[in-house]
Amino acid sequence: MTTATGLSPCCVTGHLHEGTPTGTVEKIADLDVYVSKPKDGSKAKTILFIADIFGWNTPNARLLADEYANAGFYVYVPDFFKGDNISHDMLQTIAPREPHKRSTLQVAADNASTMATFGPWAVRHREAVVKPLMDEFIKFLRTDPLTGKIGAVGFCWGGRYALVLAGEGSVDAAVANHPSMASEADFLSITKPTQINVGTNDIFLPNETVEQVKAALAEKKSDLPFEINVFQDAVHGFAVRGDISDAKEKENKEASANATLRWFNKYLV
């Protein structure tokens, strides 16, 4: 099995969504956290939302968290980067949405710019730094007697950590949306019900790799609920950064959100 790793300009493309988030910002476990609550305020079905490299304060992340809350989930979106997320401005400026249309010279310039930014960032937010923050946050949630089952949903960078948490069993279920920098072990080590959502045009998870992961999980995790949904023509980041003015991208974004809610409604009870 070959699993794509590393960073790509594809990670920094996308669109900011419009709307007014309705949640609140709280201080929890020494982290700033966006909290979106269901109407009844119940924590019976709790979601830990692990954002992509653009962080917890993009409108995209918060609006999606609100969508989950409106469906009956208590949602936490922690700032695991402690204010050091990649700038939202870079959504549009680091790389175009159609990188294949660039000249060779432009590709080289974009790649140099990308690595100059993401190389140091990735070092600052390596697993040895961010994973303890996640562990402490989940530990805090578990101390709350009102908290029921906990699901982790992650996007891109965060998608890989949703797999990691499902592997160690610290959450009760997980959804990994277009995970990036995930190894074969991350996929095959899951011990909790896990859903993976990926597009046919995802540079990090080529279609061949997706089929290999699916077959390997079916063989090694035959008794464990898992699901891999492949969205036609969807690119990396579609579940949170898709262009919702485009009918197909909006359809894929909404379908992945509905799949996430269906999964957690089934396994966070």
Side-chain angles (χ1 to χ4, degrees), residues 52-251:
D52 61 17
I53 57 179
F54 299 103
W56 72 304
N57 57 350
T58 62
N60 302 35
R62 295 186 176 194
L63 291 169
L64 190 52
D66 290 346
E67 189 174 338
Y68 297 160
N70 288 337
F73 297 87
Y74 202 104
V75 188
Y76 297 91
V77 190
D79 178 15
F80 288 126
F81 306 143
K82 294 190 172 183
D84 187 36
N85 54 276
I86 299 299
S87 171
H88 308 162
D89 294 341
M90 300 177 84
L91 277 165
Q92 300 288 7
T93 59
I94 281 190
R97 283 186 56 78
E98 298 181 307
H100 59 282
K101 293 184 177 181
R102 298 170 297 170
S103 67
T104 301
L105 185 62
Q106 189 61 53
V107 169
D110 285 348
N111 287 346
S113 176
T114 297
M115 293 314 299
T117 300
F118 287 104
W121 182 91
V123 171
R124 292 196 301 273
H125 301 290
R126 59 194 180 278
E127 184 169 348
V129 174
V130 298
K131 184 59 169 53
L133 300 179
M134 295 179 188
D135 294 341
E136 283 300 310
F137 194 84
I138 293 172
K139 181 180 178 181
F140 175 86
L141 296 184
R142 294 292 188 191
T143 64
D144 185 346
L146 297 179
T147 298
K149 289 193 173 182
I150 300 173
V153 60
F155 302 83
C156 306
W157 178 93
R160 187 244 166 183
Y161 282 99
L163 295 173
V164 171
L165 295 176
E168 67 185 21
S170 60
V171 296
D172 300 294
V175 175
N177 290 293
H178 34 76
S180 58
M181 295 178 282
S183 69
E184 178 179 343
D186 292 330
F187 289 102
L188 299 186
S189 296
I190 60 172
T191 62
K192 296 294 183 178
T194 300
Q195 178 188 86
I196 300 167
N197 296 316
V198 64
T200 57
N201 296 340
D202 191 320
I203 192 171
F204 283 107
L205 280 177
N207 297 324
E208 179 183 358
T209 299
V210 172
E211 291 305 314
Q212 291 173 343
V213 168
K214 188 182 299 185
L217 281 173
E219 178 182 354
K220 296 186 177 183
K221 304 287 184 178
S222 58
D223 296 329
L224 179 69
F226 77 91
E227 178 177 287
I228 299 179
N229 300 313
V230 181
F231 294 82
Q232 188 64 38
D233 301 324
V235 299
H236 188 72
F238 76 94
V240 71
R241 299 198 304 271
D243 180 4
I244 57 177
S245 67
D246 178 279
K248 182 62 176 177
E249 291 197 34
K250 181 179 181 181
E251 177 186 347

